[in-house]
Amino acid sequence: MNSEIQAKLDHALQEKKLNKTAYGEIIKWLTEEEFKEFSPSLTEKINKNEWENLMDSFYRVVIFGTGGIRGVMDLGTNRINNYTIRWASQAYSQYLLKHKTSNVQNGVALAYDSRHHSEEFVKETARVLAANGIPVHMFNYFRATPELSFTVRTLGCIGGIVLTASHNPPQFNGYKVYGSDGVQVLPDTGKLIEDEFKSVTSIKKIDFEEAVHRGLIKYIPDEIDKKFAEAAKTASIYKSRNVKIVYSCMHGVGSQSVLPVLKELGFNDIVLVENQMSLDGDFPNVKGQFPNPEFPIVYEDAIGLAKKTNADIVLLSDPDADRLGMAVPDREKNWYPLNGNQGAVLMTYFIMNTLSKNGKLPKNPVLVKTSVTTELFRDIGESFGAEVIGDLLVGFKFIGDRIEHLPKDKNFIFAAEESVGYLYGNAYRDKGAETPAVVASEMAAYCKDNDITPIELLESIYEKYGYYAESLYYREIQGFGAIDQMNLAMKELRKNLPKEIAGRKVVKVLDRLTGEVKNAQTGELIETRKWDKGDMLSFFFTEDERTVVHARPSGTEPKMKYYTAVKGSLKEKTKEELKAQVKEIEQEIARLFEDILKTIKVDVF
């Protein structure tokens, strides 16, 4: 490092353009052999005085959440790059060698999607694992995230990793870790890996090609793809194929998982959104280059094609094909993208009604959802005699874990989360786009066969069970130390819990950190629920807990999220009136949090 660069860094530290952590890390990246590959680009950033970028890139270590790491790809400890991928892989290796010694020779399965640098990152992961003496089973091309879960279970691996940032924009990538059961690792395991993450002193590496030659890295045979497709096809419960489908993989791997499964099951009338079918990490033809099927804007091209071709349903999978969105028409051919709750309701009712009518509903059926997913899911399931597990924290890993540990006499059927994540059947333990694609397509065929639209089916469900107006609102928090600021604000909110929100009396409050349910008016402890612990507050406005607002910070991003639901009878209130109540509640809880944020300062210097 030359004196001019040193002087620039010293001046930036003095002027508080860098804090001490960022300053020290940048010097390390400029002087140590491990970071030699990054030195030219880092020097260029310093010469261009890109201090805000450098501060954000180096002022902390990228958060190792309960399932792995995710972030923007760039230089720095707070970014996704070859070094942070190797670092995470060394930490994971140390965790396995310390806690899973007897089974470590079963190896780790690796998969990656079509995002920029995913292939490069998976090879970095493989060479670190191999250098630590851990066998690697690796796909030789892009695969869907749920296939990684399936592969871990099928090959009997000790764990798995998939390189993906799921539905995030092009500049993101990530690293998700799975246990031997095919479930993303839970908080207790995540904490153990995070501890190793902090204790890494050196990173072991081996040349990738040498490791392949020595058999330390082996490619997964194509037979796994066939078994995965066969497993997904078991989601078929209705024989009719009287349906026209418009499908887009949004430049992701669904073209290799969702599409083959549908075709093998005999869905031959599929119209592809051709300009979105290429495997392209820039997602160039997705509106906003943000390929999230939760966003209505990404459906525009597909719906336009559906109108031209007189289709019956639109299906969209996200880039790693672990989420499925759908859009459906009404009788006047107006098209509506469905949110995750609406999709869950339609598919759940179709599944339970079809299995029940055909005498194929097994004994002791079980449905599973997260606590922020619509309670209409519970109402439907229980009406068919199913046990509905709905107390789970946000994240499909909690669903997968609960399914994995069901008693042997219980029969899991279907799971859903409000963020368009679904799973049918027992072949794997993560959400995927392929099984709900089968269910949704058969649901659309059922509607067509019975001369009703999916919208009319949804309306009939509301008439039978009641209407839920629901919304997810999130607020990004800007600036350095944003996540610390957000977490501190949650602590402050707990000190003075509201007794009323938007003119509505809060009946009781559930704190998921402690499991305590308290009377919101008196503070008296009502009960303690032995559920999974997480940083979320639930404010219930009714004793049956059907009208509620949940508040939680994101686990990996500086975002506060508010999930609001108001249950009502359409005989008493219009949908618009109930939706207006939802808006009032979410705006008020967000305002309360904003007021707290104004009082909190996090100094990163």
Side-chain angles (χ1 to χ4, degrees), residues 125-141:
T125 302
R127 61 195 290 248
V128 172
L129 291 170
N132 279 275
I134 299 168
V136 173
H137 305 276
M138 175 178 157
F139 283 106
N140 62 357
Y141 196 60

Side-chain angles (χ1 to χ4, degrees), residues 17-36:
K17 293 178 179 178
L18 297 176
N19 67 4
K20 290 181 180 179
T21 300
Y23 173 84
E25 286 294 337
I26 290 171
I27 288 177
K28 187 164 73 172
W29 279 53
L30 287 170
T31 57
E32 295 186 8
E33 183 67 23
E34 178 70 42
F35 308 97
K36 188 177 180 180

Side-chain angles (χ1 to χ4, degrees), residues 70-82:
R70 182 183 297 188
V72 172
M73 291 178 282
D74 199 358
L75 305 177
T77 55
N78 190 33
R79 295 289 187 264
I80 302 296
N81 49 63
N82 284 347

Side-chain angles (χ1 to χ4, degrees), residues 181-192:
D181 52 9
V183 179
Q184 281 190 61
V185 294
L186 296 180
D188 53 351
T189 299
K191 180 64 171 62
L192 293 173

Side-chain angles (χ1 to χ4, degrees), residues 309-370:
T309 58
N310 197 31
D312 302 302
I313 191 168
V314 163
L315 302 177
L316 303 184
S317 55
D318 67 342
D320 69 327
D322 71 343
R323 299 183 185 216
L324 184 86
M326 67 185 82
V328 294
D330 63 15
R331 195 160 289 276
E332 287 72 40
K333 298 299 180 181
N334 299 305
W335 281 80
Y336 301 91
L338 301 181
N339 62 39
N341 285 327
Q342 292 169 321
V345 165
L346 274 174
M347 288 191 285
T348 303
Y349 183 81
F350 169 72
I351 290 167
M352 301 305 287
N353 187 54
T354 302
L355 292 177
S356 181
K357 278 185 175 181
N358 293 338
K360 293 184 178 180
L361 190 64
K363 291 183 178 179
N364 303 319
V366 177
L367 302 174
V368 188
K369 75 177 188 72
T370 59

Side-chain angles (χ1 to χ4, degrees), residues 21 25 56-64 69 76-79 83-84 87 197-198:
T21 300
E25 286 294 337
D56 193 38
S57 297
F58 285 95
Y59 86 98
R60 68 173 187 183
V61 172
V62 63
I63 293 174
F64 193 95
I69 59 176
T77 55
N78 190 33
R79 295 289 187 264
Y83 172 70
T84 51
W87 191 358
F197 201 83
K198 294 173 182 176

